[in-house]
Amino acid sequence: MNTFKTFSMCLALVVVVACKESTDDKKILEETQTGNTVENTKNNFTTYCNPIDIDYSYMSHYRAKNNVSYRSGADPAVVNFKGRFYMFVTRSHGYWTSDDMSNWTFIKPQSWYFNGSNAPAAAVKDGKIIVLGDPSGRGAVIETDNPELGDWKTNYAVINMPHGTQDPDLFVDDDGKVYLYEESSNKWPIRGIELDPENYYIPLGEQVDLFNLNPEKHGWERFGQDHRSDLKPFIEGPWMVKHNGTYYLEYGAPGTQWNVYADGVYTSKNPLGPFEYAPYNPISYKPGGFLKGSGHGSTVKDNNGNYWHYSTMAISVNFKFERRLGMYPAGFEENGQMYVNTAYGDYPHYLPDAKVENHKERFTGWMLLSYKKPVKTNSPLVEKEINVVDESEGGYMQEQIKDFNINRINDEEIRSYWVSESNNDSIYIEMDLLKPMEVNALQINFQDFNSVIFGRPDDIKQQFVIESSLDGKNWEVVVDYSKNTRDIPHAYIELKNSVEARYIRYNHVFCTNKYLAISELRIFGKGKEAKPQTPSNFKVARQKDRRNANLSWDAVKDATGYVIYWGIEKDKLNLSAMMYDHPDYELRALTTDQSYYLQVEAFNENGISERSDLVFIE
């Protein structure tokens, strides 16, 4: 982070969201028509879908200045402590824990930072979790052996770096030595220093300057949407991973509010360097799709020995630092190349405990069925001005999307959203998928339009009922969340039994915000027709500015969109970008002195095509 670490003619979907009080937060909700069962406190899914659906905190530390309410989750530091996962997130007034990376429970610790931690560091050392994340940038390492209780202790020994400690990372090496890496700046480099665990974690020696951005050579390090700004980019969010004797120091760039927010990596044989830029950079990059960006993250090993990368994704509507969290399968190739697979990264993927042939390929194959399908509602459109912090004129945000019509609910853009003038239990939304299809899952992404919520109230909830139909007349309940008491802002629901449907209806029971606003109603599953053909005539032309390349191919009939892949070895095309509708792309994330291999594939509701022939560019 920068600056303040900080889903007959028919499948229709109707989501009913009504306003009711729920008294038993442990009651099991039954979907009698389909046999699907939803527990109110824990799901039993085998899949997940980004963004991670947790009860994100509402930011309150800027309330006095502008009174704009927004949720955010950013800069995740995830550690595996005794087989459980703990996720520390900027300014959240606590942290989350999970044993399956699916069900995350918020812990309000017994003792914690009064103003919330800022881009916190976390590591495991000698049977304890150690954390560094004082918002002032000048604080002590705190620790606990009981993170479920959260009785964090401080030793009062302030780690007082010359420029403060911004976006820290704590790394415990195999030999027990502890290192601190830090920085969030468009001027200063990532720095490192050894700490003394036997003496209150105070610094040993002097800080070492490790590396800085080089946007003139590394195209992905340029600032702005699609790397098109001349403003200086930010380097931030270091995170160290050691694998087979090599130190992989991850870092975020170029700015948290942009679609191109990514993580890169430098490698070394020594924890304090010298470090070498990895030629396959960036490692975590997601510039297209519904929710974009994958920077300032952490990489953690699950209980099956596989790696996962958690990262920051951008909304940036209510404020430039309005963000969410994503998780992606990660790991290392046999030659040591690090990878994070973000392809179809906001479609359903299999969770860590689901057995797959290849950890790197966890995409379920459930395609998006809802994109730009006919949709209607009985609710009038809101006629209110937005209350946001808009920094678009200064070049630090995209312009606001002020069209709140119902067609915004399935345009695959999280920054656009539908807003209802009313908020009651008579509201419905109905979507026609045009043909009968198999529905496996859905995701409802609620948005905070003119919210007045701050902090972490304990009564936030979203309640709704989802029905399906083949003819638009006879309806069956698919999911009943009418008595839900959890806060599920990005409600992802995997159906225990898939349903065949053309129409689905969403009927509104309750949401805590004054306005019912939904950025996207997404339906996943499979159509019953042919997959698209492989794109033909794939061409790549590197520009005079070698950081950029023009990609083009012939449009594929019935394709919803395309995914391009690239990498420095023909069998390791680990980077990808998704685009809807358009058969072309300007890739602006290349390194000037590096050659690349590229491919493209098409996708639609029925599946994914074979990839095109490889193209090599010097």
Side-chain angles (χ1 to χ4, degrees), residues 54-59 68-73 315 317-319 322-324 385-388 400 404 414-419 445-454 460-462 487 489-490 511-519:
I54 59 172
D55 48 339
Y56 294 93
S57 299
Y58 283 85
M59 300 294 102
V68 170
S69 164
Y70 68 99
R71 292 177 185 258
S72 188
I315 297 179
V317 168
N318 289 296
F319 186 45
E322 181 182 18
R323 297 163 293 180
R324 296 297 188 266
E385 290 296 321
I386 54 176
N387 179 34
V388 301
Q400 296 290 329
F404 305 131
I414 199 168
R415 297 188 68 254
S416 68
Y417 45 98
W418 165 73
V419 185
N445 298 272
F446 295 93
Q447 168 67 342
D448 294 297
F449 175 82
N450 290 3
S451 171
V452 293
I453 301 173
F454 296 91
I460 302 175
K461 58 186 177 238
Q462 302 81 20
D487 182 10
H490 297 278
C511 66
T512 305
N513 272 318
K514 179 180 179 181
Y515 295 98
L516 168 62
I518 298 177
S519 66

Side-chain angles (χ1 to χ4, degrees), residues 514-558:
K514 179 180 179 181
Y515 295 98
L516 168 62
I518 298 177
S519 66
E520 205 77 11
L521 179 57
R522 311 177 76 209
I523 313 303
F524 297 100
K526 275 293 184 73
K528 300 177 181 292
E529 299 183 353
K531 298 185 295 185
Q533 296 294 312
T534 300
S536 60
N537 202 26
F538 179 45
K539 296 179 180 179
V540 182
R542 201 156 191 169
Q543 297 179 9
K544 183 177 180 180
D545 182 342
R546 290 178 56 81
R547 297 174 297 180
N548 310 328
N550 297 322
L551 286 66
S552 65
W553 54 92
D554 293 341
V556 177
K557 181 183 179 181
D558 298 328

